[in-house]
Amino acid sequence: MGHLDHATFGWLTPALSYAMACVGAALGLRCTVRALDATGRSRRNWLLTAASAIGTGIWTMHFVAMLGFGVTGTDIRYDVPLTILSLVIAMAVVGVGVFAVGYGRDRLRSLLIGGLTTGVGVASMHYMGMAALRLHGDVRYDPVLVGLSVLIAVVAATAALWAALNIHSPVAVAVASLVMGAAVSSMHYTGMLAVRVEVVPSAAPLPGATVMQFIFPLAVGLGSYLFITSAFVALSPTAKERAAYAHAGRLTEPDERAVDVAPPGFRAAQAPARTHSN
Protein backbone atom coordinates (compact mmCIF):
# COMPACT_ATOMS: atom_id res chain seq x y z
CA MET A 1 0.00 0.00 0.00
CA GLY A 2 1.36 3.40 -0.96
CA HIS A 3 1.91 6.01 1.71
CA LEU A 4 -0.49 8.95 1.32
CA ASP A 5 0.68 12.44 2.19
CA HIS A 6 -2.10 15.03 2.43
CA ALA A 7 0.17 18.00 3.09
CA THR A 8 3.34 17.74 1.02
CA PHE A 9 3.76 21.53 1.34
CA GLY A 10 3.11 21.55 5.09
CA TRP A 11 0.27 23.72 6.40
CA LEU A 12 0.22 25.93 3.29
CA THR A 13 -2.36 23.98 1.27
CA PRO A 14 -4.72 23.17 4.20
CA ALA A 15 -4.71 26.80 5.34
CA LEU A 16 -5.14 28.19 1.83
CA SER A 17 -7.90 25.71 0.98
CA TYR A 18 -9.73 26.64 4.20
CA ALA A 19 -9.47 30.32 3.27
CA MET A 20 -10.97 29.63 -0.17
CA ALA A 21 -13.85 27.68 1.40
CA CYS A 22 -14.55 30.59 3.77
CA VAL A 23 -14.49 33.18 0.98
CA GLY A 24 -16.87 31.13 -1.16
CA ALA A 25 -19.22 30.53 1.78
CA ALA A 26 -19.23 34.21 2.83
CA LEU A 27 -19.90 35.39 -0.70
CA GLY A 28 -22.62 32.80 -1.23
CA LEU A 29 -24.35 33.69 2.03
CA ARG A 30 -24.28 37.42 1.27
CA CYS A 31 -25.70 36.83 -2.21
CA THR A 32 -28.45 34.62 -0.81
CA VAL A 33 -29.35 37.28 1.75
CA ARG A 34 -29.51 39.84 -1.07
CA ALA A 35 -31.69 37.47 -3.10
CA LEU A 36 -34.21 37.07 -0.29
CA ASP A 37 -34.61 40.86 -0.16
CA ALA A 38 -35.09 41.12 -3.93
CA THR A 39 -37.81 40.10 -6.37
CA GLY A 40 -38.11 39.04 -10.01
CA ARG A 41 -35.01 38.98 -12.17
CA SER A 42 -32.87 40.53 -9.45
CA ARG A 43 -33.59 37.61 -7.10
CA ARG A 44 -32.73 35.09 -9.80
CA ASN A 45 -29.43 36.84 -10.58
CA TRP A 46 -28.41 36.97 -6.92
CA LEU A 47 -29.20 33.28 -6.51
CA LEU A 48 -27.15 32.39 -9.59
CA THR A 49 -24.24 34.37 -8.17
CA ALA A 50 -24.64 32.63 -4.82
CA ALA A 51 -24.61 29.20 -6.48
CA SER A 52 -21.53 29.99 -8.53
CA ALA A 53 -19.74 31.43 -5.48
CA ILE A 54 -20.45 28.50 -3.15
CA GLY A 55 -19.79 25.90 -5.85
CA THR A 56 -16.58 27.58 -6.96
CA GLY A 57 -15.41 28.01 -3.37
CA ILE A 58 -15.97 24.35 -2.55
CA TRP A 59 -14.32 23.15 -5.77
CA THR A 60 -11.34 25.47 -5.29
CA MET A 61 -11.00 24.35 -1.68
CA HIS A 62 -10.90 20.70 -2.78
CA PHE A 63 -8.29 21.11 -5.49
CA VAL A 64 -6.11 23.56 -3.57
CA ALA A 65 -5.98 20.90 -0.86
CA MET A 66 -5.17 18.34 -3.56
CA LEU A 67 -2.11 20.38 -4.51
CA GLY A 68 -0.57 18.94 -1.35
CA PHE A 69 -1.69 15.36 -2.00
CA GLY A 70 0.94 12.79 -2.91
CA VAL A 71 1.38 9.01 -3.00
CA THR A 72 4.79 7.41 -2.61
CA GLY A 73 5.78 5.18 -5.49
CA THR A 74 3.69 6.83 -8.21
CA ASP A 75 3.12 10.10 -9.99
CA ILE A 76 -0.35 11.67 -10.11
CA ARG A 77 -2.22 13.07 -13.09
CA TYR A 78 -5.74 14.44 -13.50
CA ASP A 79 -8.32 13.65 -16.15
CA VAL A 80 -9.24 17.11 -17.47
CA PRO A 81 -12.88 16.45 -18.59
CA LEU A 82 -13.78 14.75 -15.29
CA THR A 83 -12.17 17.56 -13.31
CA ILE A 84 -14.19 20.18 -15.18
CA LEU A 85 -17.32 18.04 -14.79
CA SER A 86 -16.80 18.05 -11.02
CA LEU A 87 -16.84 21.87 -11.10
CA VAL A 88 -20.05 21.90 -13.15
CA ILE A 89 -21.66 19.43 -10.73
CA ALA A 90 -20.68 21.58 -7.75
CA MET A 91 -22.26 24.75 -9.17
CA ALA A 92 -25.34 23.01 -10.60
CA VAL A 93 -26.30 21.08 -7.48
CA VAL A 94 -25.58 24.00 -5.17
CA GLY A 95 -27.78 26.04 -7.50
CA VAL A 96 -30.65 23.61 -6.96
CA GLY A 97 -30.23 24.04 -3.21
CA VAL A 98 -30.14 27.83 -3.11
CA PHE A 99 -33.05 28.13 -5.58
CA ALA A 100 -35.09 25.78 -3.39
CA VAL A 101 -34.46 28.11 -0.45
CA GLY A 102 -34.86 31.29 -2.50
CA TYR A 103 -38.25 30.39 -3.98
CA GLY A 104 -39.66 27.87 -1.51
CA ARG A 105 -42.80 28.90 0.36
CA ASP A 106 -42.38 26.42 3.22
CA ARG A 107 -39.03 27.42 4.70
CA LEU A 108 -38.46 24.25 6.74
CA ARG A 109 -39.21 21.96 3.81
CA SER A 110 -37.13 24.09 1.45
CA LEU A 111 -34.26 24.07 3.94
CA LEU A 112 -34.28 20.29 4.27
CA ILE A 113 -34.54 19.70 0.53
CA GLY A 114 -31.91 22.31 -0.25
CA GLY A 115 -29.53 21.06 2.44
CA LEU A 116 -29.82 17.42 1.35
CA THR A 117 -29.44 18.27 -2.34
CA THR A 118 -26.51 20.61 -1.79
CA GLY A 119 -24.74 18.25 0.62
CA VAL A 120 -25.01 15.29 -1.74
CA GLY A 121 -23.83 17.56 -4.55
CA VAL A 122 -20.77 18.64 -2.57
CA ALA A 123 -19.92 15.02 -1.82
CA SER A 124 -20.48 14.11 -5.50
CA MET A 125 -18.10 16.87 -6.54
CA HIS A 126 -15.47 15.56 -4.12
CA TYR A 127 -15.63 11.97 -5.30
CA MET A 128 -15.91 12.98 -8.95
CA GLY A 129 -12.72 14.95 -8.45
CA MET A 130 -11.12 11.88 -6.87
CA ALA A 131 -12.29 9.78 -9.83
CA ALA A 132 -10.27 12.13 -12.04
CA LEU A 133 -7.04 10.92 -10.37
CA ARG A 134 -4.71 8.92 -12.58
CA LEU A 135 -1.91 6.99 -10.88
CA HIS A 136 -0.11 3.65 -11.00
CA GLY A 137 -2.30 1.62 -8.69
CA ASP A 138 -5.81 0.95 -7.46
CA VAL A 139 -7.81 3.43 -5.36
CA ARG A 140 -10.21 2.06 -2.74
CA TYR A 141 -12.34 3.70 -0.06
CA ASP A 142 -13.37 2.94 3.50
CA PRO A 143 -17.20 2.90 3.24
CA VAL A 144 -17.71 4.08 6.84
CA LEU A 145 -15.56 7.17 6.34
CA VAL A 146 -17.20 7.83 2.97
CA GLY A 147 -20.62 7.78 4.63
CA LEU A 148 -19.34 10.08 7.39
CA SER A 149 -17.99 12.55 4.83
CA VAL A 150 -21.37 12.65 3.04
CA LEU A 151 -23.15 13.22 6.36
CA ILE A 152 -20.79 16.10 7.18
CA ALA A 153 -21.46 17.60 3.75
CA VAL A 154 -25.24 17.45 4.23
CA VAL A 155 -25.09 18.94 7.73
CA ALA A 156 -22.71 21.69 6.57
CA ALA A 157 -24.89 22.56 3.57
CA THR A 158 -28.06 22.65 5.68
CA ALA A 159 -26.38 24.86 8.27
CA ALA A 160 -25.17 27.23 5.55
CA LEU A 161 -28.64 27.55 4.01
CA TRP A 162 -30.17 28.05 7.47
CA ALA A 163 -27.68 30.85 8.04
CA ALA A 164 -28.67 32.44 4.74
CA LEU A 165 -32.33 32.42 5.82
CA ASN A 166 -31.83 33.65 9.37
CA ILE A 167 -28.61 35.65 9.57
CA HIS A 168 -28.40 39.10 8.00
CA SER A 169 -25.73 40.93 9.98
CA PRO A 170 -22.39 41.11 8.13
CA VAL A 171 -20.54 40.09 11.31
CA ALA A 172 -22.82 37.08 11.80
CA VAL A 173 -22.37 36.10 8.15
CA ALA A 174 -18.59 36.27 8.58
CA VAL A 175 -18.75 33.98 11.62
CA ALA A 176 -21.09 31.59 9.77
CA SER A 177 -18.70 31.48 6.80
CA LEU A 178 -15.81 30.52 9.09
CA VAL A 179 -17.89 27.67 10.49
CA MET A 180 -18.98 26.64 6.98
CA GLY A 181 -15.36 26.70 5.78
CA ALA A 182 -14.34 24.46 8.68
CA ALA A 183 -17.19 22.05 7.90
CA VAL A 184 -16.30 21.83 4.20
CA SER A 185 -12.63 21.29 5.04
CA SER A 186 -13.60 18.59 7.54
CA MET A 187 -15.70 16.87 4.89
CA HIS A 188 -12.77 16.95 2.45
CA TYR A 189 -10.17 15.52 4.81
CA THR A 190 -12.61 12.92 6.16
CA GLY A 191 -13.12 11.80 2.57
CA MET A 192 -9.37 11.76 2.02
CA LEU A 193 -8.86 9.60 5.12
CA ALA A 194 -11.16 7.07 3.46
CA VAL A 195 -8.73 6.67 0.54
CA ARG A 196 -6.57 3.57 0.24
CA VAL A 197 -4.10 3.22 -2.63
CA GLU A 198 -2.48 -0.05 -3.72
CA VAL A 199 0.50 1.07 -5.79
CA VAL A 200 1.42 -1.01 -8.83
CA PRO A 201 4.90 0.11 -10.00
CA SER A 202 5.03 0.87 -13.70
CA ALA A 203 7.16 2.83 -16.11
CA ALA A 204 4.24 3.55 -18.43
CA PRO A 205 3.35 7.23 -18.84
CA LEU A 206 0.17 8.36 -17.08
CA PRO A 207 -2.59 10.06 -19.07
CA GLY A 208 -3.92 13.44 -18.06
CA ALA A 209 -2.43 16.71 -16.82
CA THR A 210 -0.15 17.35 -13.88
CA VAL A 211 -1.40 19.41 -10.96
CA MET A 212 0.72 22.40 -11.99
CA GLN A 213 -0.28 22.19 -15.64
CA PHE A 214 -4.02 22.29 -15.04
CA ILE A 215 -5.25 22.38 -11.44
CA PHE A 216 -3.07 25.22 -10.21
CA PRO A 217 -3.89 27.72 -13.02
CA LEU A 218 -7.61 26.89 -12.82
CA ALA A 219 -7.65 27.24 -9.03
CA VAL A 220 -5.89 30.60 -9.26
CA GLY A 221 -8.37 31.80 -11.89
CA LEU A 222 -11.41 30.72 -9.87
CA GLY A 223 -9.93 32.17 -6.71
CA SER A 224 -9.51 35.50 -8.49
CA TYR A 225 -13.15 35.29 -9.59
CA LEU A 226 -14.22 34.85 -5.96
CA PHE A 227 -12.27 37.86 -4.75
CA ILE A 228 -13.42 40.10 -7.61
CA THR A 229 -17.04 39.06 -7.10
CA SER A 230 -16.67 39.67 -3.36
CA ALA A 231 -15.56 43.22 -4.06
CA PHE A 232 -18.51 43.74 -6.42
CA VAL A 233 -21.01 42.46 -3.85
CA ALA A 234 -19.45 44.55 -1.08
CA LEU A 235 -19.74 47.72 -3.20
CA SER A 236 -23.27 47.00 -4.46
CA PRO A 237 -25.98 48.77 -2.43
CA THR A 238 -28.51 46.61 -0.66
CA ALA A 239 -32.26 46.89 -1.27
CA LYS A 240 -32.63 48.95 1.92
CA GLU A 241 -29.83 51.28 0.88
CA ARG A 242 -31.37 51.79 -2.57
CA ALA A 243 -34.73 52.55 -0.95
CA ALA A 244 -33.06 55.05 1.38
CA TYR A 245 -31.30 56.74 -1.56
CA ALA A 246 -34.56 56.96 -3.49
CA HIS A 247 -36.37 58.41 -0.47
CA ALA A 248 -33.64 60.98 0.05
CA GLY A 249 -33.83 61.91 -3.63
CA ARG A 250 -37.57 62.48 -3.40
CA LEU A 251 -37.10 64.74 -0.41
CA THR A 252 -34.62 66.96 -2.24
CA GLU A 253 -36.61 67.24 -5.48
CA PRO A 254 -38.66 70.47 -5.92
CA ASP A 255 -42.38 69.86 -5.76
CA GLU A 256 -43.91 71.26 -8.93
CA ARG A 257 -47.34 70.90 -7.42
CA ALA A 258 -46.47 73.70 -5.00
CA VAL A 259 -46.54 76.29 -7.82
CA ASP A 260 -49.50 78.66 -7.97
CA VAL A 261 -51.17 77.41 -4.82
CA ALA A 262 -51.57 80.89 -3.30
CA PRO A 263 -55.12 82.10 -2.67
CA PRO A 264 -56.82 84.03 -5.46
CA GLY A 265 -55.97 87.72 -5.40
CA PHE A 266 -52.82 87.13 -3.31
CA ARG A 267 -50.41 88.08 -6.07
CA ALA A 268 -52.51 91.09 -7.09
CA ALA A 269 -52.65 92.30 -3.52
CA GLN A 270 -48.89 91.99 -3.12
CA ALA A 271 -48.04 93.56 -6.46
CA PRO A 272 -46.98 97.24 -6.28
CA ALA A 273 -49.55 99.68 -7.64
CA ARG A 274 -48.74 101.22 -11.03
CA THR A 275 -48.63 104.99 -11.39
CA HIS A 276 -50.29 106.51 -14.39
CA SER A 277 -48.99 109.72 -15.78
CA ASN A 278 -51.18 112.04 -17.74
Side-chain angles (χ1 to χ4, degrees):
M1 180 179 293
H3 173 69
L4 277 62
D5 190 346
H6 299 287
T8 58
F9 296 106
W11 284 101
L12 176 62
T13 49
L16 185 57
S17 64
Y18 171 68
M20 299 309 300
C22 291
V23 171
L27 180 56
L29 291 178
R30 290 302 298 164
C31 289
T32 306
V33 170
R34 295 287 189 92
L36 295 175
D37 290 335
T39 57
R41 184 179 299 177
S42 180
R43 171 172 290 196
R44 181 202 64 190
N45 292 341
W46 279 118
L47 289 174
L48 288 173
T49 306
S52 67
I54 297 174
T56 299
I58 293 171
W59 187 94
T60 306
M61 176 270 148
H62 171 82
F63 280 100
V64 167
M66 292 301 290
L67 292 174
F69 177 70
V71 181
T72 56
T74 178
D75 293 329
I76 295 176
R77 298 289 187 272
Y78 290 88
D79 183 283
V80 174
L82 280 180
T83 304
I84 295 176
L85 180 60
S86 68
L87 173 60
V88 174
I89 288 175
M91 291 191 292
V93 182
V94 170
V96 172
V98 297
F99 270 82
V101 169
Y103 286 101
R105 295 183 179 180
D106 185 336
R107 284 203 165 188
L108 178 59
R109 182 180 179 183
S110 300
L111 179 63
L112 294 177
I113 293 174
L116 178 62
T117 302
T118 303
V120 172
V122 170
S124 299
M125 179 280 303
H126 174 88
Y127 289 105
M128 179 65 73
M130 293 301 296
L133 283 176
R134 296 292 179 264
L135 47 76
H136 293 303
D138 298 322
V139 179
R140 296 184 176 87
Y141 294 92
D142 183 326
V144 174
L145 289 177
V146 169
L148 180 59
S149 69
V150 174
L151 178 62
I152 293 173
V154 171
V155 172
T158 304
L161 294 176
W162 177 90
L165 287 172
N166 297 278
I167 295 177
H168 299 280
S169 166
V171 175
V173 168
V175 173
S177 67
L178 295 177
V179 175
M180 177 65 178
V184 172
S185 296
S186 299
M187 177 267 160
H188 170 82
Y189 285 105
T190 301
M192 294 308 296
L193 288 176
V195 177
R196 303 288 185 270
V197 178
E198 291 288 344
V199 176
V200 179
S202 174
L206 289 167
T210 66
V211 68
M212 289 301 175
Q213 287 175 337
F214 176 63
I215 302 298
F216 180 73
L218 187 56
V220 170
L222 293 175
S224 301
Y225 161 76
L226 286 177
F227 283 105
I228 293 172
T229 308
S230 297
F232 170 76
V233 172
L235 295 175
S236 298
T238 63
K240 292 182 179 179
E241 290 172 343
R242 287 195 299 269
Y245 296 153
H247 180 68
R250 286 195 297 269
L251 290 179
T252 57
E253 288 178 357
D255 193 347
E256 296 180 355
R257 295 172 298 177
V259 178
D260 294 331
V261 294
F266 176 79
R267 294 182 183 276
Q270 295 297 321
R274 295 183 179 179
T275 59
H276 299 275
S277 59
N278 295 325

